[in-house]
Amino acid sequence: MKNEKQFFHLCSDGKESRDFITSNKDFVAAMNIIAVCAANTEASVIAFSLQDTHYHFLLYGEMTECIRFRDTLEKTYRHYVSASRKDTGNAVPAGELYPIGDNDYLMNAAIYTIIQPTKDKKPVMPFDYPWGSGSLYFRYRNHIHIWHLDDEGNTLQEITFGSLTSTEKRKTLHSHSLSIPEHWLICGGIILPQNYVDITLFESIFKTHNCYRVFLGNSSKKEEEILMRMAQYKGITIEDTEARRLGSDTSKEMFGTSFPRRLTPHQKIKLAQNLHRKHNISYRQIASIVNLPEDEIRRYTT
């Protein structure tokens, strides 16, 4: 069933969004926007990591909700960038959603998500990286997470979201229409990830501390498997302009019009199936070409 809950790897390509995060202010904003997305969709955040040019998430939920999480993330971050920068550049990553099947792939994807800063040669371990969820897992109950400490190691005071003024709430969320529960905790300006990350589900993937330790020693072979699975699912990648050209040409060939968005819903599905099977165009690109929801495209082309 397409609407069953499952795990998804959501990630973006750093080559396409080199201006994603340019300062600590951007990191804090992105962290808080993740909280907004978690509070306003039924996608569960299991793990995540933000890098300067891209992001990685392990999500759990129905495909439609995980797509909604991604779209809300992009829309809200785009609003933040537009309001805070003169030159937006290539700031908003286009995320791709990859379903996860077997358990070995799930464990590899979970680790791959949180080791990104270390893998990208930052001098930091995942559990000491503030812009991801690595500090949350397999810890003692009274462990002080990294977001509770300032740069000098002093403990910061927690406050509730409900204690903020209306102006402070909007500045924290970067949204006028979306909110989060009043009792969620904030520390150092960051909506704490333990408010919304499903720590228990992450730990259940590995079951024991030792299993987690073994998988943290990520090998190049495991990384190659992740990249291979992503490539197999996504198919051949082409530029958006080329994808649109193929969409127009194929629409003209099949239905006599070069404007796919003018087709009937049935014709759009037929065109989507052709573009995916013949040209391996991504679901995201096809959804834009025919102007149908991505989850509908996936439902009828897989």
Side-chain angles (χ1 to χ4, degrees):
M1 294 290 292
K2 296 295 181 182
N3 289 329
E4 288 182 351
K5 290 185 177 182
Q6 59 182 312
F7 288 99
F8 290 93
H9 179 197
L10 170 63
C11 60
S12 61
D13 186 347
K15 297 176 183 177
E16 298 178 358
S17 51
R18 295 192 179 277
D19 300 318
F20 174 37
I21 292 179
T22 60
S23 65
N24 272 13
K25 178 184 174 183
D26 289 350
F27 271 118
V28 172
M31 291 281 286
N32 290 346
I33 289 170
I34 292 169
V36 171
C37 297
N40 289 275
T41 69
E42 294 182 19
S44 297
V45 179
I46 313 305
F48 73 92
S49 180
L50 298 171
Q51 308 305 309
D52 301 34
T53 60
H54 63 287
Y55 58 68
H56 285 267
F57 288 88
L58 179 64
L59 302 176
Y60 180 74
E62 294 181 3
M63 180 186 293
T64 52
E65 288 301 306
C66 292
I67 290 173
R68 195 156 71 92
F69 179 98
R70 181 202 63 194
D71 293 348
T72 303
L73 175 67
E74 293 180 9
K75 179 180 178 181
T76 310
Y77 194 75
R78 183 177 292 108
H79 172 79
Y80 160 74
V81 169
S82 298
S84 62
R85 300 185 197 172
K86 292 181 180 179
D87 182 10
T88 59
N90 297 319
V92 183
E96 289 286 350
L97 201 66
Y98 302 94
I100 297 173
D102 60 272
N103 197 58
D104 283 345
Y105 181 32
L106 173 59
M107 289 191 284
N108 285 342
I111 293 298
Y112 187 76
T113 296
I114 65 169
I115 67 165
Q116 287 297 307
T118 306
K119 185 184 75 67
D120 290 347
K121 297 182 172 55
K122 289 184 172 68
V124 63
M125 295 300 289
F127 40 78
D128 289 326
Y129 186 64
W131 315 120
S133 61
S135 179
L136 295 174
Y137 313 115
F138 291 96
R139 298 289 197 162
Y140 287 118
R141 187 169 299 178
N142 60 353
H143 172 73
I144 299 176
H145 296 299
I146 192 169
W147 308 285
H148 291 83
L149 303 172
D150 64 17
D151 292 339
E152 284 72 45
N154 301 310
T155 303
L156 300 170
Q157 182 180 1
E158 292 181 343
I159 60 173
T160 63
F161 177 71
S163 69
L164 300 179
T165 67
S166 296
T167 299
E168 289 171 334
K169 287 179 178 179
R170 286 195 298 272
K171 288 183 177 179
T172 299
L173 302 177
H174 305 290
S175 174
H176 293 282
S177 58
L178 302 176
S179 190
I180 63 174
E182 296 281 288
H183 68 275
W184 278 17
L185 296 173
I186 299 174
C187 203
I190 295 174
I191 303 169
L192 294 173
Q194 52 262 49
N195 288 304
Y196 57 86
V197 172
D198 194 333
I199 302 170
T200 300
L201 185 51
F202 181 96
E203 292 180 348
S204 73
I205 294 171
F206 298 94
K207 295 183 175 61
T208 67
H209 289 69
N210 194 45
C211 180
Y212 181 56
R213 176 192 63 81
V214 170
F215 269 83
L216 269 178
N218 194 47
S219 67
S220 58
K221 183 177 180 180
K222 291 179 181 178
E223 182 178 341
E224 288 173 4
E225 180 188 355
I226 293 288
L227 297 175
M228 181 186 69
R229 296 277 192 117
M230 291 166 61
Q232 287 175 342
Y233 186 78
K234 188 174 182 179
I236 300 171
T237 58
I238 61 174
E239 296 291 333
D240 286 349
T241 52
E242 176 65 9
R244 286 193 294 270
R245 185 192 67 77
L246 283 170
S248 295
D249 290 350
T250 307
S251 177
K252 178 70 173 179
E253 179 183 333
M254 293 178 67
F255 304 109
T257 175
S258 299
F259 300 96
R261 293 188 171 208
R262 297 179 182 176
L263 300 174
T264 67
H266 178 73
Q267 290 172 327
K268 288 180 178 181
I269 292 298
K270 290 292 186 182
L271 176 61
Q273 291 171 338
N274 183 290
L275 292 175
H276 180 65
R277 292 169 184 170
K278 186 175 180 179
H279 301 288
N280 280 321
I281 297 177
S282 74
Y283 295 113
R284 183 188 183 88
Q285 290 171 318
I286 295 173
S288 176
I289 291 169
V290 301
N291 195 30
L292 284 177
E294 185 179 328
D295 60 297
E296 291 295 311
I297 301 300
R298 290 175 182 267
R299 180 175 296 121
Y300 292 107
T301 57
T302 57

